[in-house]
Amino acid sequence: MKEEFKTIEDVKRYLDERGINPSYQRLKIYEWLLNNRTHPTVESIYKALLKEIPTLSKTTIYNTLNLFQQHGLVNALTIEENEVRYDINTEPHSHFKCKVCGKVIDLPIPRKLDVKELIPEEVKSNKIEEIHIYYKGKCADCA
Amino acid sequence: MKEEFKTIEDVKRYLDERGINPSYQRLKIYEWLLNNRTHPTVESIYKALLKEIPTLSKTTIYNTLNLFQQHGLVNALTIEENEVRYDINTEPHSHFKCKVCGKVIDLPIPRKLDVKELIPEEVKSNKIEEIHIYYKGKCADCA
DNA sequence: ATCATTGCAAACACTTTGCATACGC
DNA sequence: GCGTATGCAAAGTGTTTGCAATGAT
């Protein structure tokens, strides 16, 4: 994400450009994702926005995230069983999940690493489209 | 897994050594995982074994896999949302999932790669215990 | 007035839990 | 006979679907 979204108008334009009807709920959800880069679950997005939009339903969150995903605006993250987390689509990066507090942190792909090095020879016959790397361990706070 | 399990007795001994009561069902499940390294879901294990053990219940599969997991005998794989796959615990390796047919293939960690290179500098303050790499794309058969 | 979006309720799929039954030593 | 494993049924989660109500142009 190179752009900076300073106002809700910026977000509106961003969705508009991508052919996504910028409804109130969609704007709010996208805006919230931008301001809370915590790899939230549907549950946490819902809880957070319910304060602002008391009529909000989880269905709308699901619908919206699926829509965003189809348009490449968010990534679905599956580090752990039974919980899907969402990520605003950005530069390629990896994730670290703390086994103690459950926090998920963005990490860069190691600088030295040419992504091509990550592809084992044995896979040549298969066409790789995505590479995902994630780490698990104890975060600085929980160590 | 260096060992080769040629007979059910080998599997029995293996579980015995690890303090796991080698019940009929557990043996069968472990044996089946050894002979079918296809990263199966609970559903597919269940369906396959039901032919041999008509009284088998899914609960037993769940119980057994959780038990095995606690003892490090199997890994739970979460490449895709909403499906947990199981893997007999082996040397570190990565996975490739075909987006078309859904097949999951084992891949080695690229030979040239020292695992340390995979750790970004930014993560120094966090204690990394596991590294997971997976790929998605089109497999040779579906290309 | 029309068409899309929202949101409730019900349906689904996957997994865990409670508990009575069956099994093995 | 006792302690564990099994397996049914019910409960719990997370997600999707059907559809009527609402909202925007």
Side-chain angles (χ1 to χ4, degrees):
Chain A
M1 195 73 52
K2 291 109 202 158
E3 297 110 303
E4 282 290 316
F5 291 80
K6 299 214 167 54
T7 69
I8 200 156
E9 282 308 311
D10 294 332
V11 178
K12 186 166 167 4
R13 193 172 325 111
Y14 189 80
L15 294 179
D16 250 338
E17 280 166 11
R18 281 153 187 81
I20 295 178
N21 181 340
S23 73
Y24 179 67
Q25 284 85 342
R26 288 172 183 168
L27 279 173
K28 280 296 184 188
I29 292 170
Y30 193 74
E31 191 190 28
W32 193 85
L33 285 173
L34 276 170
N35 297 329
N36 297 272
R37 303 194 169 230
T38 54
H39 312 84
T41 58
V42 166
E43 186 64 26
S44 54
I45 301 170
Y46 176 67
K47 274 192 192 148
L49 286 176
L50 202 56
K51 293 167 198 159
E52 255 184 291
I53 315 169
T55 64
L56 185 64
S57 95
K58 261 187 204 175
T59 305
T60 299
I61 313 258
Y62 281 110
N63 289 341
T64 302
L65 290 174
N66 287 340
L67 183 75
F68 284 176
Q69 208 183 343
Q70 281 157 29
H71 288 263
L73 297 182
V74 299
N75 294 320
L77 256 176
T78 349
I79 293 186
E80 206 72 59
E81 308 91 270
N82 308 336
E83 60 170 20
V84 180
R85 289 164 174 275
Y86 289 88
D87 208 9
I88 293 254
N89 207 359
T90 59
E91 302 294 306
H93 62 278
S94 59
H95 294 100
F96 173 86
K97 168 151 181 165
C98 176
K99 287 178 173 182
V100 180
C101 66
K103 182 166 54 189
V104 176
I105 305 170
D106 278 339
L107 292 178
I109 300 288
R111 299 174 196 294
K112 294 173 200 159
L113 218 61
D114 183 348
V115 176
K116 290 196 193 86
E117 292 179 51
L118 273 171
I119 302 182
E121 287 118 46
E122 287 78 354
V123 83
K124 286 281 160 60
S125 51
N126 305 305
K127 207 174 105 210
I128 289 187
E129 292 166 3
E130 300 170 27
I131 301 181
H132 299 259
I133 304 180
Y134 66 90
Y135 307 88
K136 289 189 195 177
K138 268 189 195 168
C139 77
D141 295 339
C142 294
Chain B
M1 194 74 50
K2 293 107 202 158
E3 297 111 302
E4 281 291 317
F5 290 79
K6 302 218 166 51
T7 69
I8 199 156
E9 281 309 311
D10 293 333
V11 179
K12 187 164 161 12
R13 193 172 325 112
Y14 189 81
L15 293 180
D16 250 339
E17 280 166 11
R18 281 154 187 80
I20 295 177
N21 182 341
S23 73
Y24 178 68
Q25 284 84 342
R26 287 173 184 168
L27 280 173
K28 281 294 183 189
I29 293 171
Y30 194 76
E31 193 190 25
W32 193 84
L33 286 174
L34 277 170
N35 296 331
N36 298 272
R37 304 195 168 230
T38 54
H39 311 85
T41 59
V42 166
E43 186 64 25
S44 53
I45 302 171
Y46 176 68
K47 274 190 191 149
L49 287 175
L50 203 55
K51 294 167 197 159
E52 254 185 292
I53 316 169
T55 63
L56 185 64
S57 94
K58 261 188 204 173
T59 305
T60 299
I61 313 259
Y62 280 110
N63 288 340
T64 301
L65 290 174
N66 287 339
L67 183 75
F68 284 176
Q69 209 184 343
Q70 281 158 31
H71 289 261
L73 298 182
V74 298
N75 295 320
L77 257 176
T78 349
I79 293 186
E80 207 71 61
E81 307 91 271
N82 308 336
E83 59 171 21
V84 180
R85 288 166 173 276
Y86 289 87
D87 207 10
I88 293 255
N89 208 358
T90 59
E91 303 293 306
H93 62 280
S94 58
H95 294 100
F96 174 85
K97 168 153 182 165
C98 176
K99 287 178 172 182
V100 180
C101 66
K103 183 167 52 190
V104 176
I105 304 170
D106 279 339
L107 292 178
I109 299 289
R111 297 174 199 296
K112 295 174 198 157
L113 216 63
D114 183 347
V115 176
K116 288 195 194 85
E117 291 178 52
L118 273 171
I119 301 181
E121 286 119 45
E122 288 78 354
V123 83
K124 286 282 160 56
S125 50
N126 306 305
K127 208 174 106 210
I128 289 187
E129 293 165 3
E130 301 170 28
I131 301 181
H132 299 259
I133 303 180
Y134 65 92
Y135 308 88
K136 289 189 195 176
K138 268 190 195 166
C139 77
D141 295 339
C142 295

